[in-house]
């Protein structure tokens, strides 16, 4: 496909692999488990070589060589994305950034690290200085900070601090252009969102600077509810209780809690479950809310004391992983349940889809608005047409649905690519070598005709 031999001749001393199995492994992310639609359309897509630079200087050498030889490249972290971010469409180079893993500094309520640093290492460094990450994915122990910023959205902490694109949640990025003489750009303020959730198409992230929250003692709590709507009302009430500090509120209808085998001792059969982390000083208030909503607390201990690992690893993306382990051919229509009609929209969707599959929701904030919910019924995939109908039915109940089954950034509903960002893309990637095909406004002429599920959705752009 490309002159990889000539490229490698320019990269003497930099580790690389052309081993077919290794290249294929690095050309995958979690998309193939979470979307049968994308699994079909991305089948067989692979890079031609994996290059693993060990320093920013080596990254610059690789990028310059790719620009000279006009070879596509895709910067990759741990590959925990769910939307095709790390799957190359046009071969070329996987730029494995995981060797650039230094936490550079913690200053006050800020932390800065290289793009390949595991998020847990940032959190550990922050805690040593009295802080902690505001927001992180359920894959804290495996995901890289560059991957989270480049392809992530929200996660643990979003119920308090909002989503990554909200002002103040990404402080600064050091980004490299793809040219014969690559240029380093330090971007801050609103410009960070030109690179956030752009799948590596708008520059190669070298460093990330994030804000920190004051470190707190957290309680991990499991609650069970006989009635789903009691659990839903509790989850919403907890999310709206500004006096209670919390990091996550995860609501799962039965039988999803039965998939969490390591939690079996604390799960009551045929009950809806809420998993949450609240500040230790708010335990009494939590118990008060639980009593008001007929909830039974089955586990309540300081975070880290459970024999089942971190409780957050049963929320957000990890919920789907446990469904897959239970044999569910996982599919979902990821909806945003609006704050002005939160309980109403949850109840309507729950009643409408009881025969389809159990409902799972995460509480979060976004765009400076009140508490809302993100989630979907979990169900076995039937067909593209069935998925479209589920999405249409959810939208009819007042839920904003994003297209989780496309690799096109603009079509997913997560962000709007405005003219300023398009101009930034042109400056950073004049030859369109960065993860080509994912940004439809800059796709190669021979771009694949299929891009997952093709439909118009209300999305989460507002």
């Amino acid at each position: 496909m490309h002159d990889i031999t000539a490229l490698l001749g320019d990269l003497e001393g930099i580790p690389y692999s052309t081993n077919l199995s290794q290249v294929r492994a690095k050309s995958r992310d979690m998309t193939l488990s979470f979307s049968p639609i994308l699994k079909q359309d991305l089948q067989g897509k692979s890079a031609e070589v994996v290059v693993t630079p060990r320093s920013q200087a080596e990254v610059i050498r690789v990028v310059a060589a790719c620009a000279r030889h006009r070879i596509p490249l895709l910067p990759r972290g741990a590959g925990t994305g769910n939307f095709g971010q790390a799957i190359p469409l046009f071969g070329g180079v996987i730029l494995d950034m995981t060797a650039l893993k230094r936490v550079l500094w913690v200053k006050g309520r800020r932390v800065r690290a290289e793009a390949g640093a595991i998020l847990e290492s940032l959190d550990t460094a922050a805690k040593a200085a009295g802080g902690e990450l505001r927001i992180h994915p359920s894959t804290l122990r495996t995901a890289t900070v560059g991957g989270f910023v480049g392809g992530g959205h929200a996660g643990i902490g979003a119920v308090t601090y909002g989503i990554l694109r909200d002002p103040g949640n990404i402080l600064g990025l050091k980004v490299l252009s793809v040219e014969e003489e690559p240029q380093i750009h330090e971007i801050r303020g609103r410009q960070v969102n030109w690179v956030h959730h752009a799948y590596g198409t708008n520059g190669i992230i070298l460093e990330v600077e994030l804000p920190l929250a004051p470190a707190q003692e957290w309680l991990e709590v499991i609650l069970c509810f006989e009635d789903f709507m009691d659990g839903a009302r509790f989850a919403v009430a907890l999310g709206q209780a500004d006096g209670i500090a919390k990091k996550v509120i995860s609501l799962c209808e039965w039988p999803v809690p039965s998939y969490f085998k390591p939690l079996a001792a604390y799960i009551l059969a045929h009950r809806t479950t809420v998993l949450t982390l609240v500040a230790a000083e708010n335990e009494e208030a939590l118990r008060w809310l639980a009593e008001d909503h007929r909830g039974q607390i089955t586990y309540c201990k300081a975070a880290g004391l459970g024999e089942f690992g971190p409780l957050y690893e049963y929320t957000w993306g990890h919920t789907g992983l446990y469904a897959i382990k239970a044999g569910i051919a996982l599919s979902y229509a990821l909806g945003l349940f609006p704050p002005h009609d939160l309980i109403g929209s949850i109840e309507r969707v729950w009643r409408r889809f009881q025969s389809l599959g159990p409902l799972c929701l995460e509480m979060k904030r976004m765009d400076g608005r009140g508490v809302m919910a993100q989630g979907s019924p979990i169900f076995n995939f039937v067909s593209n047409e069935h998925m479209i109908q589920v999405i249409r039915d959810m939208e009819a109940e007042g839920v904003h649905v994003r297209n989780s089954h496309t690799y096109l950034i603009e079509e997913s509903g997560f962000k709007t690519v405005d003219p300023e960002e398009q101009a930034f893309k042109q400056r950073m990637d004049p030859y369109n070598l960065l993860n080509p095909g994912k940004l439809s406004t800059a796709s190669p002429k021979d771009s694949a005709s299929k891009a997952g599920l093709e439909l118009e959705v209300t999305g989460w752009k507002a």
Side-chain angles (χ1 to χ4, degrees), residues 293-307:
H293 294 87
R294 295 183 288 276
Q296 181 178 347
I297 295 176
T298 58
Y299 180 89
C300 181
K301 289 184 181 180
L305 297 184
E307 70 279 9

Side-chain angles (χ1 to χ4, degrees), residues 28 38 59 67 82 126-128 195 205 251 275 309 321 323 350 369 383 395 404 440 458:
R28 295 288 176 268
L38 284 175
V59 174
N82 301 339
K127 286 175 179 174
V195 176
I205 299 172
L251 170 71
L275 309 179
L321 293 177
W350 171 62
R369 295 183 287 167
S383 66
E395 290 181 324
S404 303
S440 60
T458 52

Side-chain angles (χ1 to χ4, degrees), residues 16-28:
Y16 69 87
S17 176
T18 55
N19 177 275
L20 187 59
S21 61
Q22 293 178 8
V23 172
R24 285 178 175 173
K26 291 289 186 178
S27 300
R28 295 288 176 268

